[in-house]
């Protein structure tokens, strides 16, 4: 009788092990749109997955497209809709950084930007990571951080095993990696998966077994590939799968990675891991926040102010007005899309655009609508108010001049290549702006007719689009992502000089007197170049020791102080006269947006992860 009992128990345990066996396809970095073979590689993978028996579901972990365009997203969706298995997806930095739709269309096309579901005994949780719209280190959006916390809260008191997925590895290449890890360790987290690196790699996320998957692209091979992940008997294995192509059969390689799935009991772990340091603020203790706030979403644009109120947009689609005195909310305008447009003010009128496709003109005192213009396409560009005219680019190949009074169209230029992201500049005759079509435009202010165009002749990734162009002494200065500063004659677009000696990325600035252009180098240093010379003439430099730096947030000078925002949440202030760092302050570990000096040793600052503050510097 005992033998029958133990035999029955054995078969019961074995059947449960078989029933709990899970097999899924781990697909990442498909980059539809570039190279030309990316869509074909994805189609082959879809066909291959459909032909394989025993696949329970599919995960696609970011960089689905190369540039996040509507066309690329729809192409990827059409191919993935061919899957006969359930599939889950979230975006990566390529889907969000160069997004003509302001990171809105991914959710519209695919139905979601994150997932959480149960399969077998496991809870699978996944969300994407940017940077969203602005070049900087990886960042999980504030909204997704709060969403993950809500998912963790649902698991409170449960020992259900968790598998987490993100596009980036959970390390310091992701600006807020520690927030995710600290929350995940409140659960029975057993493994994490990611893409981004395009190569299979065994990793460790502060004690959590982590695995990076190969890109779906073929690269130098004849065929692309993906990973098959199998969970059986508390073990997770990863095997590369090469899809079938024509008469050539696909193959599944032997497992290259095996992870023991177990409860690590992190809540009982006393080990400490490195976290962002704010010791800099102790060194410059004379810099303090008059007030500081945390928004519930990301902030991907600059802040502006008048004498009593400051205004900033967020990715919840709101324009928020705060009291300068204490940071209390005066009013909010809710739109139907994320806002990456830095607003502009003239007298009582405030203009801002949303990715809901609408340009809004508000009464800055109360947020009431004066007028709006619906374009039908998302807008990520920033307005310029010049006289009684609003100038603004768009994502639909158009650049508009609108009446500030009522929004009526003065003219529209309809031949813009790529989308417009930054703010234009103007002189008495022309309006100037760049686009993500590798082109810089000069239009007649009265008619909108092109006066001249310039291109660096490089791919769209190196376009004169993210940085704010600078205009002084009849010259335009452009800092482009190919590490080059170019000086153009504003009259005809002729190149006066160019240099890549100082290795800036997208950020630059102009001195108050217009005599110097400041280049924010990608490592530690700002350079000051003469704006009047006929060749690139460095005047001086300051080593700020800010480290590696790629954010597009511009350098601004006010009252002899040069403000340098960085991508790790630090604002540096350099005294122009002494050419030394006067002070620095770390508000966050995420990118500092375009700042707004108030004068009298005060400045307004926002960060990509939703921090807002009014800083004050006291004299030592």
């Amino acid at each position: 009788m005992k033998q029958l009992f133990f035999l029955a128990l054995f078969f019961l345990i074995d059947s449960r092990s078989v029933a709990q066996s899970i097999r899924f396809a781990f697909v990442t970095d498909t980059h539809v749109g570039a190279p030309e073979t990316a869509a074909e590689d994805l189609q082959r993978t879809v066909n291959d997955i459909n032909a394989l028996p025993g696949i329970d579901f599919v995960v696609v972990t970011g960089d689905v497209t190369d540039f996040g365009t509507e066309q690329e997203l729809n192409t990827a969706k059409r191919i993935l809709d061919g899957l006969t298995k359930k599939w889950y997806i979230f975006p990566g930095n390529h889907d969000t950084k160069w997004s003509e739709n302001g990171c809105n269309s991914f959710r519209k096309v695919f139905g979601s930007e994150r997932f959480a579901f149960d399969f077998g005994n496991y809870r699978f949780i996944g969300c994407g990571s940017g940077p969203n719209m602005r070049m900087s280190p990886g960042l999980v959006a504030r909204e997704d951080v709060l969403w993950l916390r809500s998912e963790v809260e649902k698991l409170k008191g449960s020992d259900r095993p968790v598998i987490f997925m993100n596009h980036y590895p959970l390390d310091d290449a992701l600006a807020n990696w520690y927030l995710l890890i600290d929350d995940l360790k409140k659960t029975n987290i057993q493994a994490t998966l990611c893409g981004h690196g395009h190569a299979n790699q065994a990793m460790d996320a502060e004690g959590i077994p982590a695995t990076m998957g190969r890109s779906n692209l073929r690269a130098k091979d004849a065929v692309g590939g993906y990973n098959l992940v199998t969970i059986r008997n508390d073990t997770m294995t990863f095997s590369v799968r090469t899809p079938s192509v024509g008469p050539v059969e696909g193959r599944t390689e032997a497992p290259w990675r095996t992870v023991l799935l177990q409860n690590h009991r992190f809540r009982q772990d006393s080990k400490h891991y490195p976290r962002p340091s704010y010791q800099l603020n102790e060194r410059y203790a004379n810099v303090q926040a008059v007030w500081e706030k945390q928004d519930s979403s990301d902030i991907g644009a600059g802040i502006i102010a008048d004498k009593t109120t400051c205004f900033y947009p967020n990715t919840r689609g709101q324009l928020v007005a705060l009291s300068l005195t204490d940071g209390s909310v005066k009013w909010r305008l809710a739109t139907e899309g994320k806002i990456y447009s830095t607003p502009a003010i003239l007298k009582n009128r405030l203009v801002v655009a949303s990715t809901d496709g609408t340009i809004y003109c508000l009464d800055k005192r109360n947020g009431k609508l004066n007028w709006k213009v619906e374009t039908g396409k998302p807008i990520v560009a920033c307005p310029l108010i010049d006289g009684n005219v609003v100038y603004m680019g768009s994502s639909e190949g158009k650049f508009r001049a609108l009446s500030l009074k009522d929004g009526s169209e003065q003219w529209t230029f309809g031949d813009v290549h790529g989308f417009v992201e930054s703010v234009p500049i103007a002189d008495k005759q022309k309006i100037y702006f760049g686009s993500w079509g590798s082109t810089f435009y000069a239009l007649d202010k009265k008619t909108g007719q092109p006066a001249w165009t310039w291109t660096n002749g490089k791919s769209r990734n190196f376009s004169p689009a993210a940085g704010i162009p600078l205009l002084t002494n009849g010259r335009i200065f452009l800092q482009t992502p190919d590490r080059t500063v170019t000086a153009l004659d504003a009259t005809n677009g002729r190149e006066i000089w160019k240099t890549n000696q100082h290795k800036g990325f997208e950020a630059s600035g102009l001195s108050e007197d217009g005599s110097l252009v400041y280049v924010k180098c990608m490592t530690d240093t700002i350079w000051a170049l003469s704006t009047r010379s006929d060749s690139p003439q460095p005047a001086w430099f300051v080593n700020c020791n800010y480290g590696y730096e790629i954010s597009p947030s511009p350098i601004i000078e006010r009252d002899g102080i040069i403000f340098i925002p960085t991508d790790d949440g630090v604002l540096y202030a350099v005294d122009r006269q002494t050419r030394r760092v006067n002070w620095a302050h770390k508000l966050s570990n995420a990118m500092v947006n375009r700042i707004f000096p108030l004068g009298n040793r005060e400045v307004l600052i926002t960060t990509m992860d939703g921090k807002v503050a009014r800083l004050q510097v006291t004299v030592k």
Side-chain angles (χ1 to χ4, degrees):
M1 196 69 177
K2 285 184 178 180
Q3 289 178 330
L4 290 174
F5 171 79
F6 284 116
L7 187 62
L9 183 60
F10 170 81
F11 281 115
L12 177 62
I13 293 172
D14 185 66
S15 65
R16 284 180 177 175
S17 298
V18 173
Q20 291 174 5
S21 176
I22 300 171
R23 195 183 195 206
F24 63 91
F26 171 25
V27 182
T28 191
D29 295 271
T30 56
H31 288 273
V32 170
E36 294 180 357
T37 54
E40 182 180 48
D41 290 339
L42 180 56
Q43 185 65 67
R44 287 174 173 175
T45 290
V46 167
N47 296 343
D48 191 68
I49 291 171
N50 288 342
L52 287 176
I55 301 295
D56 295 305
F57 58 86
V58 181
V59 294
V60 186
T61 62
D63 277 6
V64 183
T65 66
D66 196 58
F67 224 63
T69 67
E70 301 277 346
Q71 181 180 359
E72 290 173 349
L73 290 168
N74 284 311
T75 298
K77 176 65 159 54
R78 175 182 54 78
I79 296 171
L80 289 168
D81 274 341
L83 284 166
T84 57
K85 277 79 172 177
K86 181 73 174 176
W87 53 280
Y88 303 89
I89 194 169
F90 52 70
N93 57 298
H94 271 260
D95 303 306
T96 60
K97 162 58 189 85
W98 296 279
S99 174
E100 64 188 12
N101 49 71
C103 311
N104 276 296
S105 292
F106 193 96
R107 181 175 64 248
K108 292 179 181 178
V109 170
F110 293 105
S112 180
E113 298 174 302
R114 53 178 83 108
F115 58 73
F117 65 93
D118 295 326
F119 200 98
N121 289 335
Y122 293 87
R123 180 72 167 170
F124 292 86
I125 302 175
C127 65
S129 47
N132 293 343
M133 295 307 302
R134 309 291 184 240
M135 181 58 74
S136 58
L139 182 76
V140 173
R142 181 68 183 171
E143 299 95 310
D144 285 339
V145 170
L146 297 179
W147 170 81
L148 177 60
R149 286 179 181 171
S150 70
E151 289 297 317
V152 169
E153 184 64 24
K154 293 176 186 177
L155 292 167
K156 190 174 182 180
S158 167
D159 275 337
R160 177 180 287 276
V162 173
I163 309 293
F164 178 73
M165 304 181 195
N166 191 260
H167 180 62
Y168 269 72
L170 296 185
D171 59 26
D172 59 7
L174 193 66
N176 52 358
W177 87 97
Y178 56 97
L179 297 179
L180 277 68
I181 287 181
D182 289 350
D183 281 332
L184 287 169
K185 284 187 173 181
K186 297 174 184 176
T187 72
N188 182 10
I189 179 70
Q190 300 198 351
T192 72
L193 279 64
C194 71
H196 189 62
H198 286 219
N200 289 328
Q201 185 177 347
M203 308 181 79
D204 179 273
E206 299 184 2
I208 307 171
T211 306
M212 177 186 288
R214 59 153 295 166
S215 167
N216 191 69
L217 298 174
R218 69 187 70 175
K220 297 180 180 180
D221 297 329
V223 184
Y226 59 100
N227 274 281
L228 289 177
V229 184
T230 303
I231 300 175
R232 181 182 295 114
N233 297 333
D234 298 326
T235 300
M236 173 185 280
T237 60
F238 294 79
S239 300
V240 171
R241 172 69 185 179
T242 303
S244 301
V245 179
V248 180
E249 289 291 328
R251 68 180 186 276
T252 302
E253 298 178 8
W256 64 270
R257 166 85 159 139
T258 299
V259 175
L260 178 63
L261 299 176
Q262 59 182 318
N263 190 336
H264 296 273
R265 307 194 184 282
F266 288 116
R267 282 168 284 193
Q268 302 171 15
D269 187 3
S270 60
K271 186 175 181 179
H272 295 284
Y273 293 91
R275 292 292 180 261
S277 172
Y278 288 79
Q279 289 184 347
L280 184 73
N281 296 347
E282 297 176 10
R283 179 179 177 185
Y284 298 104
N286 60 317
V287 185
Q288 297 291 327
V290 177
W291 50 259
E292 181 179 330
K293 300 177 71 71
Q294 172 68 67
D295 200 282
S296 59
S297 66
D298 281 2
I299 300 174
I303 188 169
I304 62 171
D306 60 16
K307 293 181 179 180
T308 63
T309 311
C310 59
F311 310 87
Y312 73 89
N314 64 27
T315 57
R316 290 182 65 191
Q318 298 175 334
L319 181 68
V320 185
L322 303 180
S323 165
L324 267 183
T325 303
D326 59 10
S328 59
V329 176
K330 287 189 170 184
W331 54 261
R332 297 176 188 265
L333 169 77
T335 74
E336 297 300 317
K338 302 174 183 181
I339 303 180
Y340 291 99
S341 171
T342 299
I345 291 178
L346 182 64
K347 297 181 180 179
N348 287 328
R349 302 211 162 204
L350 182 151
V351 178
V352 70
S354 169
T355 57
D356 65 7
T358 304
I359 303 167
Y360 297 87
C361 179
L362 311 173
D363 188 321
K364 70 173 186 179
R365 296 166 294 186
N366 50 34
K368 291 184 178 179
L369 184 68
N370 288 319
W371 53 260
K372 64 180 180 179
V373 173
E374 297 177 354
T375 69
K377 292 287 185 179
I379 301 175
V380 296
C382 307
L384 171 70
I385 301 176
D386 188 75
N388 292 313
V389 180
V390 178
Y391 297 98
M392 175 170 282
S394 70
S395 299
E396 54 180 330
K398 295 180 179 180
F399 188 92
R400 294 178 171 85
L402 306 174
S403 166
L404 178 61
K405 179 181 179 180
D406 57 16
S408 59
E409 181 180 303
Q410 307 297 290
W411 51 258
T412 296
F413 174 69
D415 195 24
V416 179
H417 302 296
F419 69 96
V420 179
E421 173 182 338
S422 188
V423 60
I425 53 175
D427 56 24
K428 292 182 179 180
Q429 290 81 33
K430 293 184 282 292
I431 186 86
Y432 309 90
F433 64 95
S435 78
W436 281 107
S438 302
T439 307
F440 190 79
Y441 299 84
L443 307 181
D444 185 286
K445 285 174 68 175
K446 294 182 178 179
T447 66
Q449 292 301 306
W452 52 263
T453 61
W454 172 88
T455 178
N456 58 9
K458 297 187 177 182
S459 68
R460 59 185 178 180
N461 300 67
F462 301 115
S463 296
I468 297 177
L470 308 173
L471 175 62
T472 184
N473 298 323
R475 297 177 175 186
I476 293 168
F477 297 88
L478 304 175
Q479 172 69 68
T480 46
D482 59 353
R483 285 64 165 168
T484 301
V485 180
T486 304
L488 304 176
D489 187 322
T491 304
N492 52 28
R494 177 182 64 87
E495 285 188 11
I496 300 172
W497 54 256
K498 65 168 54 176
T499 177
N500 63 1
Q501 178 183 352
H502 307 98
K503 299 295 186 288
F505 192 71
E506 291 178 327
S508 57
L510 201 62
S511 63
E512 280 184 292
D513 59 11
S515 67
L516 298 171
V517 57
Y518 299 125
V519 178
K520 183 167 61 172
C521 303
M522 293 175 65
T523 306
D524 290 328
T525 306
I526 67 162
W527 276 91
L529 310 180
S530 170
T531 60
R532 293 187 174 93
S533 64
D534 291 330
S535 61
Q537 293 292 331
W540 46 264
F541 71 92
V542 176
N543 187 344
C544 302
N545 288 309
Y546 50 64
Y548 184 69
E549 164 62 27
I550 55 174
S551 77
S553 304
I555 297 173
I556 297 175
E557 182 182 332
R558 174 76 182 270
D559 299 331
I561 299 298
I562 305 164
F563 296 96
I564 304 107
T566 65
D567 61 22
D568 62 353
V570 179
L571 177 64
Y572 291 84
V574 169
D575 187 303
R576 178 178 173 181
Q577 185 175 1
T578 64
R579 299 173 191 171
R580 292 184 177 182
V581 174
N582 201 356
W583 57 263
H585 187 81
K586 185 175 178 67
L587 184 64
S588 165
N589 205 48
M591 185 193 85
V592 177
N593 295 301
R594 181 178 171 184
I595 58 97
F596 190 90
L598 292 168
N600 196 29
R601 298 187 297 277
E602 292 193 342
V603 61
L604 293 171
I605 177 174
T606 64
T607 61
M608 180 63 88
D609 60 347
K611 293 284 185 67
V612 188
R614 175 183 175 182
L615 301 182
Q616 184 178 67
V617 183
T618 56
V619 179
K620 293 182 179 180

